[in-house]
């Protein structure tokens, strides 16, 4: 059996169109144009690419984008002062500080100064706590993307065995919480997990978020399982070029899985869509409005 390809690019386009419609309604009915401030410190080329695509997605959705590009010599105090101004700015509904930050800046200290109501990355401990306790929260965009993709395949995730490989604060832990909120039975696997292939073979839903190229092999996957690959790894390709691969050995996995995300074109485009979705959600929550339906 060859797996169904989960077309993250097409699904994200569809979601972005719905977000644009909801943003237009918000503007017409309440005079609110959602705005996202993206802060980039330094000139990491990968970060510059991400930041550009986020800003473009925001503008394409009819929202406002406020870009702040700071030199890598920026002090932690100056960065925190900028966040303070963005927290107070009525036109800014979402704030995203692109990671990684330069070594002389403590990311946790900086991220904890973002107003939790504007924290579109969902990294603030208040949002992590809200997610864990089932309250309305801004949730991290990559895990959010993963769950939306899994729901596209299954509708309901209730009762499914979900295995998440990776326990980072950005992906693994919040993904496990989101899956629990969807009533899945959740296992978090990591580098110390015994018999990782055996644990993975029990998964109806397998999420790979370890950052190790093609670590998950075809024979780790239960026949018919849904595989969501969060990895984006640059490896040597043909003719001295590089190529992007996921954390899953795609060619093997697609012969066994029931559905699988490609890399690129799977989780990545959906993550960008979730950044603008969170900006819309933050704008609605900030105005005391209900969750937008998109
Ligand atoms: N760098 C890599 N992934 C992310 C992310 O999800 N959010 C932010 N702010 N920076 C990142």
């Amino acid at each position: 059996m060859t797996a169904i390809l989960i077309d993250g690019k097409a699904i994200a386009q569809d979601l972005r169109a719905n977000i644009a419609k909801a943003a237009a309604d918000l503007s017409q009915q309440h005079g609110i144009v959602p705005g996202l401030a993206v802060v980039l410190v330094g000139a990491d080329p990968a970060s510059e690419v991400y930041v550009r695509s986020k800003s473009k997605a925001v503008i394409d959705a009819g929202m406002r984008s406020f870009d702040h590009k700071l030199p890598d010599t920026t002090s932690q105090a100056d960065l925190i002062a900028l966040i303070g101004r963005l927290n107070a700015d009525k036109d800014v509904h979402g704030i995203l500080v692109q990671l990684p930050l330069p070594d002389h800046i403590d990311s946790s200290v900086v991220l904890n100064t973002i107003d939790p109501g504007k924290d579109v990355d969902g990294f603030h401990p208040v949002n992590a706590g809200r997610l864990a306790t089932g309250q309305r929260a801004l949730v991290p965009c990559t895990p959010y993307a993963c769950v939306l993709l899994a729901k596209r395949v299954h509708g309901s995730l209730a009762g499914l065995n979900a295995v998440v490989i990776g326990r980072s604060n950005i992906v693994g832990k919040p993904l496990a919480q989101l899956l629990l909120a969807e009533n899945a039975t959740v296992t978090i696997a990591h580098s110390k997990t015994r018999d990782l292939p055996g644990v993975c073979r029990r998964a109806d839903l397998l999420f790979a978020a370890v950052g190790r190229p093609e670590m998950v092999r075809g024979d780790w996957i239960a026949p018919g399982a849904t595989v969501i690959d969060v990895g984006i790894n640059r490896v040597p390709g043909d003719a001295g070029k590089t190529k992007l691969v996921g954390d899953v050995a795609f060619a093997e996995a697609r012969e066994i899985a029931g559905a699988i995300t490609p890399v690129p074109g799977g989780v990545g485009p959906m993550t960008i869509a979730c950044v603008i979705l969170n900006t819309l959600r933050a704008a609605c929550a900030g105005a005391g409005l209900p969750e937008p339906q998109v």
Side-chain angles (χ1 to χ4, degrees), residues 161-239:
N161 281 329
V163 172
V164 177
I165 319 173
R167 54 175 156 176
S168 70
N169 290 334
I170 293 180
V171 185
K173 282 188 229 169
L175 176 54
Q177 292 292 353
L178 283 167
L179 290 164
L180 204 51
E182 294 290 339
N183 298 310
T185 302
V186 184
T187 302
I188 306 180
H190 48 76
S191 55
K192 299 289 190 292
T193 296
R194 271 183 282 144
D195 185 21
L196 180 58
V199 170
C200 292
R201 274 192 289 269
R202 291 199 293 274
D204 304 307
L205 302 172
L206 182 60
F207 300 87
V210 277
R212 294 182 57 178
E214 301 181 324
M215 185 183 92
V216 176
R217 310 309 308 188
D219 65 359
W220 297 23
I221 295 165
T226 294
V227 178
I228 308 283
D229 190 349
V230 178
I232 303 177
N233 309 289
R234 195 164 280 287
V235 297
D238 295 333

Side-chain angles (χ1 to χ4, degrees), residues 39 47 50 54 95-100 111 121 123 140-143 170-171 271 275:
V39 181
S47 290
Y50 288 132
K54 286 171 196 170
I95 302 170
L96 188 150
V97 177
Q98 184 65 30
L99 302 178
L111 296 178
D121 261 325
F123 293 162
C141 297
T142 301
I170 293 180
V171 185
T271 297
V275 173

Side-chain angles (χ1 to χ4, degrees), residues 8-277:
K9 211 169 154 184
I11 298 168
Q13 246 168 26
D14 195 35
L15 177 57
R16 283 169 60 167
N18 291 344
I19 296 167
K21 167 94 180 46
D25 290 348
L26 185 66
S27 166
Q28 257 174 17
Q29 290 165 20
H30 300 278
I32 299 167
V33 180
L36 175 68
V38 178
V39 181
L40 175 64
V41 184
D44 175 58
S47 290
E48 284 189 329
V49 172
Y50 288 132
V51 163
R52 261 201 307 275
S53 51
K54 286 171 196 170
S55 302
K56 181 178 179 305
V58 167
I59 289 164
D60 286 351
M63 303 180 181
R64 283 193 196 124
S65 173
F66 306 97
D67 290 347
H68 295 267
K69 284 189 80 172
L70 308 178
D72 62 5
T73 51
T74 302
S75 70
Q76 181 166 308
D78 282 350
L79 180 55
I80 289 173
L82 170 62
I83 292 169
R85 291 194 295 277
L86 297 172
N87 283 341
D89 187 335
K90 297 272 178 290
D91 291 334
V92 172
H93 302 92
I95 302 170
L96 188 150
V97 177
Q98 184 65 30
L99 302 178
L101 289 168
D103 289 344
H104 66 277
I105 295 178
D106 184 331
S107 304
S108 307
V109 171
V110 168
L111 296 178
N112 289 358
T113 66
I114 297 175
D115 176 346
K118 298 190 177 189
D119 169 35
V120 288
D121 261 325
F123 293 162
H124 195 288
V126 165
N127 280 314
R130 285 184 190 206
L131 171 60
T133 52
Q135 300 175 61
R136 189 171 176 181
L138 288 166
V139 300
C141 297
T142 301
Y144 197 3
C146 291
V147 169
L148 292 178
L149 290 173
K151 286 177 78 172
R152 280 284 178 139
V153 177
H154 290 269
S156 167
L157 308 184
L160 296 178
N161 281 329
V163 172
V164 177
I165 319 173
R167 54 175 156 176
S168 70
N169 290 334
I170 293 180
V171 185
K173 282 188 229 169
L175 176 54
Q177 292 292 353
L178 283 167
L179 290 164
L180 204 51
E182 294 290 339
N183 298 310
T185 302
V186 184
T187 302
I188 306 180
H190 48 76
S191 55
K192 299 289 190 292
T193 296
R194 271 183 282 144
D195 185 21
L196 180 58
V199 170
C200 292
R201 274 192 289 269
R202 291 199 293 274
D204 304 307
L205 302 172
L206 182 60
F207 300 87
V210 277
R212 294 182 57 178
E214 301 181 324
M215 185 183 92
V216 176
R217 310 309 308 188
D219 65 359
W220 297 23
I221 295 165
T226 294
V227 178
I228 308 283
D229 190 349
V230 178
I232 303 177
N233 309 289
R234 195 164 280 287
V235 297
D238 295 333
K241 293 194 177 152
T242 62
K243 62 174 180 173
L244 291 180
V245 298
D247 291 348
V248 177
F250 181 80
E252 293 173 16
R254 77 176 305 182
E255 298 307 323
I256 298 168
I260 187 167
T261 56
V263 176
V267 173
M270 264 312 258
T271 297
I272 302 283
C274 287
V275 173
I276 57 171
L277 177 53

